[in-house]
Amino acid sequence: MLVLNEVSKTFYPGTVNEKRALGPLSLELKEGEFVTVIGGNGAGKSTLFNAIGGSFLVDEGQILLDGKDITYLPAYRRSREIGRILQDPMMGTAPHMTISENLTLAYMQCKRSHGFGIGKKEREAFREKLATLGLGLEDRMESPVGLLSGGQRQALTLLMAVLVPPKLLLLDEHTAALDPATAEKVLALTCETVREQKLTCMMITHHIESALRLGDRTLMLEDGHIVLDIAGEERAAMTVETLLAKFRKSLDNDRMLLS
């Protein structure tokens, strides 16, 4: 499904600020795999997602998605097959457009349509999808998204990202900016969506317990490299205490120890 071969990225090369942010790093995800990603601040988690999503081109290596080489594809081309939700609820939607218009944009982008507008059938499908969120948004389709709460916007962003199921879903700490109760609700909704649609998914989280409990595989990054890759019985036997004891130096610089 997703293959990274010896991918690397250095920022500000040849200057005093030169920083090797990623790799060389190799990784392979199977179709339908749900992988949680942890690591301290500056470990390379978001850089990894940016490389996969096309926010920048890698210096070396190759990125394959479903057998297709996307290494040099621009971000807008990758977005048709890669869904992504960022930490800031304000980043994934257009606040001055209505819920219906935001869904229409997401739908038409994934369908590669050059027109603007949807029919009655699509509109009813949007309403049904919104109803599954359990937030009453199906009755507010003509409301500007800017009037929604952070949790509602993030739930809507999730729906937009999977309206047409992507080949890969990237979740970059997508509940970190929400209050605990709302974060738990959005996280539960996320897991349900990934499971029902059988999506291939990677999720960055600072909450170690969630990283070990959710999904079926956990990666840990340090200095742009994968230092831990566990699944199955090994992952089931791993506890938060064991992980912290083994990697406390790497995790000591961020809020993981408080989660």
Side-chain angles (χ1 to χ4, degrees):
M1 160 47 69
L2 176 68
V3 179
L4 276 68
N5 290 320
E6 296 294 311
V7 168
S8 65
K9 180 64 180 179
T10 298
F11 292 107
Y12 313 114
T15 72
V16 294
N17 295 318
E18 179 172 318
K19 167 67 175 177
R20 171 63 71 92
L22 194 66
L25 181 150
S26 294
L27 173 65
E28 183 170 351
L29 264 66
K30 299 177 182 177
E31 186 172 358
E33 212 169 13
F34 185 176
V35 179
T36 57
V37 183
I38 59 174
N41 292 334
K45 305 182 297 297
S46 291
T47 303
L48 173 62
F49 276 27
N50 286 335
I52 296 171
S55 298
F56 53 72
L57 298 182
V58 296
D59 298 329
E60 297 177 329
Q62 185 182 43
I63 304 174
L64 303 174
L65 181 64
D66 203 17
K68 177 182 178 181
D69 190 339
I70 64 170
T71 310
Y72 299 108
L73 282 184
Y76 79 90
R77 292 277 302 277
R78 301 189 200 192
S79 67
R80 294 169 179 169
E81 299 181 333
I82 299 176
R84 186 171 182 182
I85 305 179
L86 303 175
Q87 178 176 337
D88 187 350
M90 308 303 171
M91 294 293 290
T93 53
H96 299 298
M97 299 179 70
T98 67
I99 293 174
S100 178
E101 289 169 340
N102 273 268
L103 289 169
T104 299
L105 280 177
Y107 178 78
M108 299 186 78
Q109 178 186 19
C110 293
K111 285 295 186 180
R112 306 185 186 186
S113 172
H114 298 293
F116 188 88
I118 56 171
K120 183 177 180 180
K121 180 180 178 181
E122 289 81 9
R123 185 177 178 81
E124 188 57 36
F126 290 172
R127 184 179 297 278
E128 292 176 1
K129 292 285 187 180
L130 285 167
T132 65
L133 300 179
L135 299 173
L137 298 183
E138 67 275 14
D139 298 321
R140 301 178 60 186
M141 291 183 63
E142 300 311 314
S143 295
V145 169
L147 298 180
L148 303 182
S149 68
Q152 289 172 326
R153 287 183 70 160
Q154 206 67 317
L156 177 61
T157 303
L158 173 63
L159 179 55
M160 292 167 60
V162 302
L163 200 57
V164 177
K167 292 182 178 179
L168 176 66
L169 178 62
L170 302 177
L171 306 173
D172 194 347
E173 294 190 75
H174 70 303
T175 63
L178 307 177
D179 65 83
T182 304
E184 192 62 33
K185 186 169 185 176
V186 171
L187 190 58
L189 180 63
T190 300
C191 293
E192 181 181 352
T193 300
V194 171
R195 182 178 64 254
E196 289 184 351
Q197 297 196 21
K198 299 180 181 179
L199 299 174
T200 304
C201 178
M202 297 181 71
M203 181 180 77
I204 295 175
T205 177
H206 275 273
H207 197 282
I208 300 178
E209 190 275 332
S210 294
L212 296 175
R213 172 173 53 89
L214 304 175
D216 41 42
R217 180 180 173 190
T218 297
L219 304 177
M220 178 174 166
L221 268 63
E222 180 180 344
D223 294 329
H225 296 85
I226 297 174
V227 296
L228 180 70
D229 185 351
I230 55 174
E233 294 182 0
E234 181 183 10
R235 182 174 182 264
M238 180 70 73
T239 65
V240 174
E241 292 75 18
T242 303
L243 188 61
L244 286 175
K246 188 175 182 179
F247 294 101
R248 181 170 294 274
K249 183 177 180 180
S250 302
L251 302 176
D252 199 37
N253 68 339
D254 71 3
R255 62 183 181 277
M256 272 193 166
L257 297 179
L258 303 176
S259 60

